Amino acid sequence: ECCKMPQLEQGDVKTVKIAAEKTAKILKTKIEQGYKVIAPIASCALMLKSHWPLISPEDENVKLLADNTLDVDEFIWDLNNANKLNKNFRSLNKNITLHTSCHSRAQNIGPKSAQILSLIPGIKTMNIEKCSGHGGTWGVKKKWNKTARKVGLNAAKLLYKEDNLLASTCPLAALHLNDINDEKKIEQTSKKKRIYHPIELIAKAYKNDNTNV
């Protein structure tokens, strides 16, 4: 089930409320068995943690889900703090420039993505905390796309400033920043760089190790 952020952005609160209560009811049993709910995308984590309880404040299942949902980078950092994280990492031989999206910062969990990337040996991570300008469904609309690119230009300039590995906590922000780079030719190279999710770089840093995190 989708978190329904696109529908929320269009003002369709009724659809979001139905999805929230349906999903929370399904996940209740697993949570009561001791499981946490891990959201790989910052926007989805924010919806489950914050927006769903605001839309369905009377639903106890929604509240339970919100209290037991973690952003994936938050989850990995918690494993590290509990000494349960496999840290058999190898260096990626390049520093990392990370874009921490607005929906990551709105969770008020601190720079968890930058912290987990700092576990990779022999590299430095530059953390950019600026809006990409995407704004969900707003940024892809023809009417507003030009404005969205202007908003994200400063973030794009910082992201492509160095010849580093690139990462973003939001896949849509990554696509938008890529589009800005294509338009403005910020990075002077013929080879288009991929912008990874932080956990993809963590996966790359494991040295032939199949241990589950």
Side-chain angles (χ1 to χ4, degrees):
E1 181 74 67
C2 172
C3 72
K4 303 298 183 185
M5 180 172 275
Q7 286 79 3
L8 181 62
E9 291 167 348
Q10 304 306 312
D12 188 1
V13 177
K14 182 179 178 180
T15 295
V16 181
K17 183 178 175 67
I18 291 170
E21 294 176 2
K22 175 186 173 183
T23 302
K25 185 177 180 180
I26 293 170
L27 292 174
K28 177 186 177 184
T29 302
K30 287 296 183 182
I31 293 171
E32 289 177 340
Q33 291 173 356
Y35 290 92
K36 295 293 183 182
V37 176
I38 312 302
I41 306 301
S43 301
C44 302
L46 182 64
M47 285 291 288
L48 272 63
K49 289 180 176 184
S50 179
H51 295 349
W52 281 9
L54 291 173
I55 292 171
S56 296
E58 74 292 342
D59 193 294
E60 290 300 319
N61 293 337
V62 171
K63 184 179 185 303
L64 180 69
L65 175 57
D67 291 341
N68 287 278
T69 295
L70 296 169
D71 183 282
V72 64
D73 295 336
E74 178 185 14
F75 173 66
I76 292 173
W77 188 249
D78 284 355
L79 286 178
N80 176 66
N81 288 339
N83 293 316
K84 294 180 179 179
L85 179 67
N86 169 17
K87 289 186 279 192
N88 186 18
F89 298 122
R90 62 175 176 82
S91 177
L92 297 176
N93 300 318
K94 264 194 174 185
N95 292 331
I96 299 169
T97 301
L98 166 71
H99 169 252
T100 299
S101 70
C102 298
H103 289 164
S104 293
R105 289 180 279 131
Q107 294 178 58
N108 294 317
I109 57 176
K112 292 295 181 289
S113 304
Q115 287 173 312
I116 65 169
L117 291 174
S118 72
L119 298 173
I120 301 173
I123 64 166
K124 294 180 180 180
T125 299
M126 174 184 171
N127 186 20
I128 299 168
E129 295 188 340
K130 286 186 177 292
C131 181
S132 72
H134 189 276
T137 53
W138 178 80
V140 297
K141 291 183 177 180
K142 185 177 180 180
K143 181 179 179 180
W144 300 114
N145 184 257
K146 186 176 180 180
T147 302
R149 292 185 184 218
K150 286 182 179 178
V151 172
L153 182 57
N154 285 337
K157 285 180 177 178
L158 289 172
L159 185 68
Y160 288 96
K161 185 177 181 181
E162 305 289 343
D163 183 25
N164 292 343
L165 289 168
L166 307 181
S168 176
T169 60
C170 175
L172 288 179
L175 290 171
H176 188 65
L177 292 166
N178 243 330
D179 287 344
I180 295 172
N181 179 54
D182 288 345
E183 178 190 3
K184 299 296 184 180
K185 308 299 181 186
I186 301 167
E187 186 183 37
Q188 300 298 317
T189 178
S190 59
K191 186 177 180 181
K192 190 171 183 177
K193 276 189 178 179
R194 178 180 174 184
I195 303 178
Y196 294 92
H197 190 284
I199 61 171
E200 291 182 286
L201 293 180
I202 287 292
K204 282 181 171 293
Y206 280 113
K207 186 190 294 182
N208 299 321
D209 194 324
N210 295 320
T211 305
N212 291 325
V213 177

